[in-house]
Structure formats: C-alpha cells, structure tokens
Amino acid sequence: MTPSASTSATPTLIRNVRVLGGEPQDLLLRDGVIASVGTAPDEADRAGDITIVDGTGLVALPGLVDLHTHLREPGREDAETVETGTLAAARGGFTAVHAMANTDPVADTAGVVEQVWRLGREAGHADVRPVGAVTVGLQGERLAELGAMADSAAGVRVFSDDGVCVSDAVLMRRALEYVKAFDGVIAQHAQEPRLTEGATMNEGELSGRLGLRGWPSVAEEAIVARDVLLAAHVGSRVHICHLSTRGSVEIVRLAKQRGLPVTAEVTPHHLLLTDELVATYDPRYKVNPPLRSADDVAALREALADGTIDIVATDHAPHPLEAKDCEWDVAAFGMLGLETALSVVQHTMVDTGLLDWAGVAERMSAAPARIGRCDTGELPHGRPLAEGEPANVVLIDPSASATVDPAASASLSRNMPYEGMKLPGAVVATFLRGRPTHVTGGLL
C-alpha cells in the first residue's frame, strides 16, 4: 500500500479479534484513536463509511516499536532508504523504529537527525525516531552534539555509536552524565576492541576447526560489566544492545537485582541461530556480535522470558549484494530482521511456552517505547490497546506459516539469514494511528 493510498480516515471495526491473545472482542478505530474495546453493537456493521474486518482467529497487539534499526539513509541508499526500511517495518508490524546513527554523514548533529526524522514523516509507513551518535563521526574521541540533538525537532533521547563500542571509559562516563539532564539513554555496542581484532565468529572449538579468528564472550561481558558500574556511579540510564552471551545475561541479572539503571535487548537471530551455521562459510550468518552457542541461545531465551532482558530489537542491517556475496573474511557484518522478527519470536518464545502474547506486547512494544521515551508526547507508541489510546495496532494470524523468501522483501537488500526456513505466524495488517500501512489477503 502506498502512503497516498493509506491516508484514509475511514473508521475500522475489527470484529472478534483476540486482544493480546485473550478472548475475542471488537476493536473500533476512529479518528486515529481506539474508540472502543469490547462488544460493538450490531448496528455498527450497518453504519455508513466504516470498514468491517473479520478478526476471527487473529491476535491484536499494540504496534511494535524497534529500538535498533539501520535505515542507511543518508549515504547508503543502495542498501536501504528511509522509505524502503519503514515499509519493511510496517510489513513486520512495527509502527515506530529508532534509526541508528551510523549513516554517511553520521547522525551526530541536529541537522542530520532532523533530516532522518523528516524523511520518516514523508514516507509515512512508520514513525522514525533518530538515534544520535555518542561521539563525533563514531570515532570515539569527543562527544557529539548531544544537547543540540535532544533539543532538535527530532527530540533525540537514544544515543549510540552502534557498530563500534564507546570503549573509552572517560568518554562513556561523560556521555552518561550529559544525557542525564534530559532523561536520555546511552545504548552501548558492547565490544572490547582489542579482544576482537580480526575476529569474525564466536570463539570456541568450531572457530579453531574452521581456522577463523574467534570473538570471545569476555569481549562483550567486560564492557557490559564496566558500563553497568559506570551507569550506577553516575545515576544515569544505560541500555545494552544485542546481548549475546550467558555471561552478559548474568551480569545484567545481578545489576537489576541491585536496582541499577540498566536495560538490555536481544535480537531475533540470537534467539534462534547458533554458531554451527558458520561452518557453511555463508556470509549471511556473519553478524556483530557473532552467533553464539546453543547454551548462550538457551540463556537468552530464559532471560527474555523472566524479564532480565527487557526487549527484542531487530538490529535490521541491510547490505548491498556485493557486501555479502563474497568470501567470509571480507563480507560485511549484519542481517535483515524487520519483516521476520515477530515470526521468529513466535517460533522461539510463544510456541515454546516461554511467553504469551501479552508478554510479546510488553517486550516488542511497551518496553522499547519506554526505554526510547516515545511512550508519551505528541505521537506516543507502546500504549495499551484501550479506549482513547492511539490506534497503533498490529493484527497477527498465529496459525499461518510461510517459507522465507528474501526476494519478496520490501528492503532494498537481501541479506536475510532465514531464507528457505518455514516460520510461523503472519502480520496481516498494521495500523498507524488508525491508518493501514500494511494489509494482506484482502483483509480490508
């Protein structure tokens, strides 16, 4: 659906839909908000100028919020644009995405973050919340214009050098002190640089057998431990990006038990895939941080279920064909993830009994919106499906399944690790403030 075709303000009545997976109810979307939840009168079906949707068998969740998306624009429009990336987001059930700062130029000024924010508004598929760089040019040498980005029209509240670690402890401390003034958060890419020089996969028996430089777990865990302590010392919020090891989980769990201001995310691919796939030397499985062991995967699932890990974030990282269709050692790190995230979470967490749909709503909508401070204000996200709340809604058919085909993706890139896999669930419709941004199967 094109943005121009999706501007209809026609009210939508969704009949017999399972809100958060509960008992069937009717959901009426009108004037950009949820007008009612419960049992709509039969007369509503006969009212003029209203779209009726049969929601039988479908689950309704609040529109998903991704705290970690790479949209590549400006600078790498051959890999992705704000237009195509947010269209992929809508297909995946997302109504808001946080766009990472490692663009070209880097999003380290008010001008660049406002440019990304405006491109998102023009595209209209999902609200774009730019992430500001922590350091100028992601160089790790001096702080970027954190205050100016916070005060800009984009209203930045999340700052990250994602792709590289803020490894200088003094700079990290200063960044935490700076963002505290406006309730910002530093999202850390936890990777000790010296311990990972030349590394391309998880360190272990397999890396030795394959002859690939290993990426030790301690390279992540050392930074997680340091930054948790720094955040506690400063009294400021730190968010750990893409947790990947059992040891990192244990550090975050201990920190939360002590009441420290730390939150953490896990990606769908770290919930499903293991380092055994690297034995194929297929660059689709090259990602930062690397795929880990089955034991790490089990720990990540347990931590997401018990709340130690707060959210699922996609780390959607598109790359042009030439960056992935090459030898393992020279291939780029990263995978697509927006369109498959919900299916992977259903497969790994819901169908295994580790989470119910209300739990998914918390970890993929409410909590990421709270962490990114986009749960309040002019265009809030992550709100409950209740009367008077914004009509940001995703409809899921949990009984569906499909074989993943990268050629069908809305993204400009094709580096999807699930190609050929049969995954459960399907996003059948996404509504942004009551306006459909994605619809399948003639639902509307």
Side-chain angles (χ1 to χ4, degrees), residues 382-419:
R383 304 293 303 172
L385 295 181
E387 186 174 331
E389 295 286 358
N392 299 326
V393 182
V394 55
L395 300 182
I396 306 158
D397 182 355
S399 68
S401 63
T403 300
V404 177
D405 177 11
S409 173
S411 173
L412 291 181
S413 297
R414 295 291 179 264
N415 51 307
M416 192 176 286
Y418 314 112
E419 180 176 3

Side-chain angles (χ1 to χ4, degrees), residues 154-329:
V156 176
R157 288 296 179 273
V158 183
F159 298 87
S160 180
D161 276 4
D162 184 59
V164 292
C165 179
V166 181
S167 59
D168 185 313
V170 174
L171 264 182
M172 186 64 181
R173 173 181 175 170
R174 288 176 180 164
L176 288 165
E177 289 171 338
Y178 204 106
V179 302
K180 186 179 177 182
F182 45 82
D183 197 23
V185 62
I186 302 297
Q188 176 66 293
H189 175 113
Q191 177 190 350
E192 208 293 318
R194 290 279 287 151
L195 289 171
T196 55
E197 288 179 354
T200 60
M201 72 166 292
N202 184 41
E203 182 178 275
E205 181 274 333
L206 183 61
S207 64
R209 181 152 49 89
L210 297 177
L212 297 175
R213 183 75 61 87
W215 187 305
S217 298
V218 70
E220 176 176 304
E221 295 154 5
I223 296 295
V224 174
R226 184 203 73 176
D227 288 352
V228 163
L229 293 173
L230 280 174
H233 181 69
V234 173
S236 186
R237 296 191 296 136
V238 67
H239 175 77
I240 309 300
C241 297
H242 37 50
L243 232 63
S244 72
T245 76
R246 178 177 285 278
S248 293
V249 166
E250 292 170 353
I251 294 166
V252 171
R253 182 173 285 128
L254 180 61
K256 289 198 168 190
Q257 289 171 353
R258 294 176 58 188
L260 304 184
V262 58
T263 54
E265 70 187 35
V266 63
T267 71
H269 48 270
H270 285 107
L271 289 172
L272 178 59
L273 309 177
T274 72
D275 59 352
E276 292 293 327
L277 290 164
V278 181
T280 65
Y281 291 103
D282 187 333
R284 286 179 304 165
Y285 304 121
K286 186 176 179 181
V287 66
N288 180 348
L291 300 178
R292 301 291 189 180
S293 69
D295 179 66
D296 292 310
V297 170
L300 294 168
R301 292 186 186 186
E302 293 164 6
L304 183 63
D306 69 21
T308 300
I309 294 177
D310 301 82
I311 66 170
V312 176
T314 70
D315 195 8
H316 176 84
H319 289 290
L321 183 63
E322 62 271 19
K324 280 293 195 179
D325 188 17
C326 54
E327 293 182 359
W328 175 272
D329 279 342

Side-chain angles (χ1 to χ4, degrees), residues 50-106:
I50 188 169
T51 300
I52 308 295
V53 174
D54 180 6
T56 303
L58 304 183
V59 169
L61 300 182
L64 307 183
V65 177
D66 192 14
L67 201 68
H68 192 148
T69 302
H70 296 273
L71 293 178
R72 302 303 190 204
E73 189 176 10
R76 289 310 307 265
E77 291 83 354
D78 56 332
E80 196 75 285
T81 65
V82 172
E83 165 78 27
T84 59
T86 52
L87 181 57
R91 288 189 180 187
F94 293 90
T95 52
V97 297
H98 289 71
M100 279 294 172
N102 58 342
T103 50
D104 184 13
V106 171

